[in-house]
């Protein structure tokens, strides 16, 4: 007998739990008809499981799902370890362990909502907002957790390392009602001495400025990109230090000169900031930051799987057309493309994404492109900084596509220059279907990919034209 798939609130080893923990696990036995006789769950704030905050004792029942925590009050932003021991009716005993990290648990935030000082009006926020904080740590770190929300989207880094594998975070909400934050374990990224915490903000759904039939730009929550965060550092001697978002941070413009969730992302590599995420970076010419008003919603933990790169695809074909080159991928998907570009410094390259092509081989935007009336549609741009090969992908947008049209190249591209990344809420597969009828298998494949391509924190109706959730 063995135990597997231990979860807390449906999540495996979650790093942000605000609600009451509910423990679940599964049991597997080689003995036909065997089943659980009893269980015991122990929760403690140390790996040695000494002085537990909850011990159920032996519970005589078959329950394995959603066992509610009934122990002592949990502390905010703290790692808790839990073990479950199960005895089967056959007399076998199995034990398995896992952990979870609590969120803020309604504790008042000490960090402030901030943005760069230059962000004063709509046009100032079209590009990415780059923020960083240098700080020193004097002792050995035993644990460190970054609790953070960056609106509309954010990427965060500690000493040059991205803090997670999630994309397009946080999840889309009515930001005037609820705003979701994430927590990252950054223990291994910190050093004694100089450190840096760096964040780049995109507009996402919080500042969707494109003119569209759904009047998204008039959303009550809409405002400029902003950040709130707290880095909780626990030293090996038990003392705690917190680094907050405040006006001691620095801000700057950078190479992302435009990003719109309904439009695309434009990147001028000539404006790159060097090693801006590293501790030894000189930010003396960066400007100050300022306190911003709250988005209005209650800050709550993002207790759900984030958006991740769930599949990658290599192209099957590249062909020349009247407008540059068109790259063909084997799957219609929602996501983005990774590119390798050659050519001279200053070359501007335009990438347009679509899921249909005309008989001539040109993209057919007729069914999807007429709804966005400003700032372009499903179009990324890149400007080269050197004569060398350069690699790039957008980070604050996703598109619905199977074909990518490339304009501005002065050479014939190769298949190895492109990789498509499918982006979706990482729910995973819980079942499979196949049969002897290939038509039914194709229908199943289409239905599955329609679902994958329309899970972006909420279920949507299409990943290109609307990106809306209609329920």
């Amino acid at each position: 007998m063995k135990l597997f798939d231990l979860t807390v609130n449906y999540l495996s080893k979650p790093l942000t739990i605000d609600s009451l923990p509910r423990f679940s696990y599964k049991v597997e036995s080689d003995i036909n008809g065997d089943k659980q006789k009893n269980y015991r769950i122990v929760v403690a704030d140390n790996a040695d499981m000494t002085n537990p905050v909850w011990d159920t004792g032996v519970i005589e029942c078959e329950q394995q799902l959603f066992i509610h925590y009934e122990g002592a009050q949990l502390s905010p932003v703290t790692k808790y370890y839990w073990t479950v021991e199960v005895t089967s009716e056959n007399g076998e005993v199995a034990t398995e362990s896992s952990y979870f990290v609590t969120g803020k648990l309604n504790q008042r935030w000490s960090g402030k909502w901030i943005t760069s000082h230059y962000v004063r009006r709509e046009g100032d926020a079209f590009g990415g907002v780059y923020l960083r904080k240098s700080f020193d740590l004097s002792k050995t770190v035993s644990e460190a957790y970054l609790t953070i929300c960056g609106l509309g989207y954010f990427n965060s880094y500690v000493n040059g390392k991205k803090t997670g594998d999630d994309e397009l975070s946080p999840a889309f909400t009515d930001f005037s009602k609820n705003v979701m934050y994430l927590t990252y374990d950054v223990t291994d990224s910190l050093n004694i001495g100089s450190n840096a915490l760096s964040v780049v903000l995109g507009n996402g759904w919080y500042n969707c400025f494109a003119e569209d039939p759904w009047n998204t730009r008039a959303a009550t929550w809409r405002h400029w990109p902003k950040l709130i965060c707290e880095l909780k550092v626990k030293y090996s001697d038990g003392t705690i230090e917190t680094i907050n978002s405040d006006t001691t941070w620095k801000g700057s413009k950078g190479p992302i000169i435009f990003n719109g969730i309904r439009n695309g992302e434009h990147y001028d590599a000539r404006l790159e900031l060097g090693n801006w995420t590293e501790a030894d970076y000189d930010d003396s010419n960066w400007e100050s930051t300022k306190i911003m008003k709250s988005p209005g919603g209650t800050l709550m933990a993002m207790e759900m799987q984030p958006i991740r790169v769930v599949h990658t695809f290599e192209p099957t074909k590249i062909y020349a057309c009247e407008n540059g080159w068109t790259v063909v991928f084997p799957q219609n998907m929602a996501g983005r493309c990774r590119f390798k570009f050659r050519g001279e410094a200053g070359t501007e390259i335009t990438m347009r994404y679509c899921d249909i092509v005309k008989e001539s081989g040109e993209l057919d935007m007729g069914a999807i492109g007429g709804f966005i009336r400003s700032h372009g549609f499903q179009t990324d741009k890149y400007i080269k900084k050197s004569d060398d090969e350069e690699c790039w992908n957008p980070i604050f947008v996703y598109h619905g596509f199977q074909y990518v049209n490339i304009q501005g190249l002065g050479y014939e591209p190769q298949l190895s220059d492109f990789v498509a990344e499918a982006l979706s809420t990482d729910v995973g597969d819980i079942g499979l279907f196949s049969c002897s009828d290939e038509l039914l298998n194709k229908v199943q494949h289409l239905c599955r990919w329609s679902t994958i391509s329309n899970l972006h924190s909420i279920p949507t109706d299409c990943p290109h034209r609307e990106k809306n959730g209609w329920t």
Side-chain angles (χ1 to χ4, degrees):
M1 183 178 65
K2 71 175 183 179
L3 311 182
F4 67 102
D5 198 12
L6 275 64
T7 64
V8 179
N9 296 5
Y10 297 97
L11 300 170
S12 174
K13 300 177 180 177
L15 292 178
T16 314
I17 293 295
D18 260 353
S19 56
L20 181 74
R22 291 161 293 162
F23 302 95
S24 300
Y25 58 91
K26 297 174 183 176
V27 183
E28 182 180 277
S29 176
D30 294 331
I31 300 173
N32 191 28
D34 199 12
K35 60 183 179 181
Q36 172 179 300
K37 179 184 178 184
N38 58 54
Y39 75 84
R40 179 187 180 188
I41 291 177
V42 180
V43 181
D45 60 4
N46 59 87
D48 296 330
M49 304 303 291
T50 55
N51 300 315
V53 295
W54 188 44
D55 186 341
T56 64
V58 176
I59 305 296
E60 299 288 338
C61 76
E62 299 178 15
Q63 184 179 1
Q64 299 168 210
L65 302 177
F66 315 127
I67 300 169
H68 286 222
Y69 176 81
E70 297 178 354
Q73 183 173 346
L74 300 175
S75 300
V77 195
T78 300
K79 187 174 187 177
Y80 287 92
Y81 302 83
W82 67 286
T83 64
V84 56
E85 180 181 276
V86 169
T87 303
S88 75
E89 288 194 339
N90 191 53
E92 286 191 84
V93 178
T95 303
E96 192 57 70
S97 300
S98 188
Y99 64 82
F100 64 94
V101 178
T102 53
K104 292 288 291 181
L105 302 180
N106 297 317
Q107 182 192 50
R108 185 178 180 86
W109 285 69
S110 52
K112 306 297 183 182
W113 286 101
I114 63 169
T115 195
S116 190
H117 208 273
Y118 73 84
V119 181
R120 297 184 178 90
R121 56 188 68 86
E122 179 175 284
D124 298 334
F126 282 169
V129 178
Y130 293 77
L131 303 166
R132 58 173 273 120
K133 166 72 174 179
S134 299
F135 58 96
D136 292 329
L137 298 178
S138 58
K139 295 176 284 189
T140 302
V141 175
S142 62
E143 288 183 7
Y145 296 99
L146 173 64
T147 305
I148 180 170
C149 176
L151 297 178
Y153 291 142
F154 73 91
N155 275 9
S156 54
Y157 310 84
V158 174
N159 292 334
K161 301 176 184 176
K162 189 171 182 291
T163 55
D165 61 357
D166 54 300
E167 305 283 348
L168 304 176
S169 293
F172 183 16
T173 58
D174 179 339
F175 301 105
S176 63
K177 296 180 180 178
N178 295 298
V179 182
M180 294 191 174
Y181 68 86
L182 293 86
T183 299
Y184 302 98
D185 185 342
V186 297
T187 306
D188 295 337
S189 299
L190 294 172
N191 310 305
I192 296 178
S194 300
N195 295 269
L197 172 55
S198 310
V199 182
V200 55
L201 301 176
N203 287 300
W205 290 108
Y206 183 62
N207 186 30
C208 184
F209 46 76
E211 295 182 30
D212 59 43
W214 314 283
N215 210 22
T216 314
R217 70 193 313 269
T220 56
W221 60 70
R222 186 170 163 242
H223 205 247
W224 321 142
K226 59 190 66 172
L227 162 74
I228 189 170
C229 72
E230 297 174 4
L231 174 58
K232 179 180 178 181
V233 180
K234 183 178 181 180
Y235 295 112
S236 55
D237 62 6
T239 58
I240 292 175
E241 182 177 359
T242 303
I243 291 89
N244 299 315
S245 53
D246 55 29
T247 54
T248 63
W249 285 54
K250 296 288 192 72
S252 176
K253 298 178 181 179
I256 299 177
I257 57 176
F258 177 89
N259 71 102
I261 189 65
R262 294 201 187 280
N263 310 113
E265 186 167 310
H266 303 171
Y267 189 95
D268 188 343
R270 299 171 299 181
L271 302 177
E272 286 183 345
L273 300 168
N275 63 334
W276 71 280
T277 62
E278 299 285 354
D280 59 355
Y281 180 74
D282 180 8
D283 60 11
S284 58
N285 62 339
W286 284 39
E287 64 175 30
S288 60
T289 53
K290 59 183 177 180
I291 304 294
M292 296 291 285
K293 69 176 183 179
S294 161
T298 301
L299 276 162
M300 58 186 295
M302 197 173 104
E303 291 190 32
M304 60 184 293
Q305 290 288 0
I307 296 171
R308 293 189 175 99
V309 176
V310 294
H311 294 278
T312 59
F313 296 95
E314 295 181 354
T316 56
K317 181 181 179 181
I318 299 177
Y319 60 85
C321 54
E322 182 177 344
N323 296 303
W325 301 87
T326 297
V327 186
V328 183
F329 292 96
Q331 177 61 53
N332 195 343
M333 73 193 86
R336 66 193 181 197
C337 200
R338 292 203 317 261
F339 302 93
K340 291 180 185 176
F341 294 128
R342 294 178 288 280
E344 297 180 356
T347 300
E348 180 173 312
I349 302 150
T350 301
M351 299 137 274
R352 296 185 302 137
Y353 296 71
C354 193
D355 60 349
I356 304 174
V357 291
K358 302 175 183 178
E359 289 187 7
S360 64
E362 300 293 327
L363 300 188
D364 185 355
M365 293 282 201
I368 63 172
F371 293 83
I372 309 305
R373 298 189 287 263
S374 67
H375 305 292
F377 175 68
Q378 293 217 144
T379 300
D380 297 337
K381 294 184 179 181
Y382 183 86
I383 302 175
K384 290 191 83 262
K385 64 181 177 182
S386 70
D387 296 336
D388 301 327
E389 181 179 278
E390 297 173 18
C391 299
W392 176 77
N393 61 263
I395 62 173
F396 290 139
V397 297
Y398 74 93
H399 308 297
F401 72 101
Q402 188 169 0
Y403 308 91
V404 182
N405 175 256
I406 317 291
Q407 299 178 37
L409 299 180
Y411 57 90
E412 179 177 351
Q414 306 298 311
L415 289 174
S416 59
D417 293 341
F418 310 97
V419 175
E421 297 181 330
L423 294 170
S424 176
T425 300
D426 193 12
V427 294
D429 291 320
I430 61 170
L432 299 172
F433 170 84
S434 64
C435 68
S436 59
D437 189 319
E438 280 307 305
L439 177 59
L440 286 180
N441 288 336
K442 289 179 180 179
V443 171
Q444 164 68 7
H445 179 83
L446 292 173
C447 291
R448 180 174 180 271
W449 270 97
S450 292
T451 302
I452 292 172
S453 298
N454 281 289
L455 290 178
H456 293 91
S457 74
I458 61 171
T460 62
D461 72 314
C462 69
H464 35 55
R465 178 181 59 195
E466 300 180 20
K467 294 183 170 72
N468 283 334
W470 286 106
T471 55

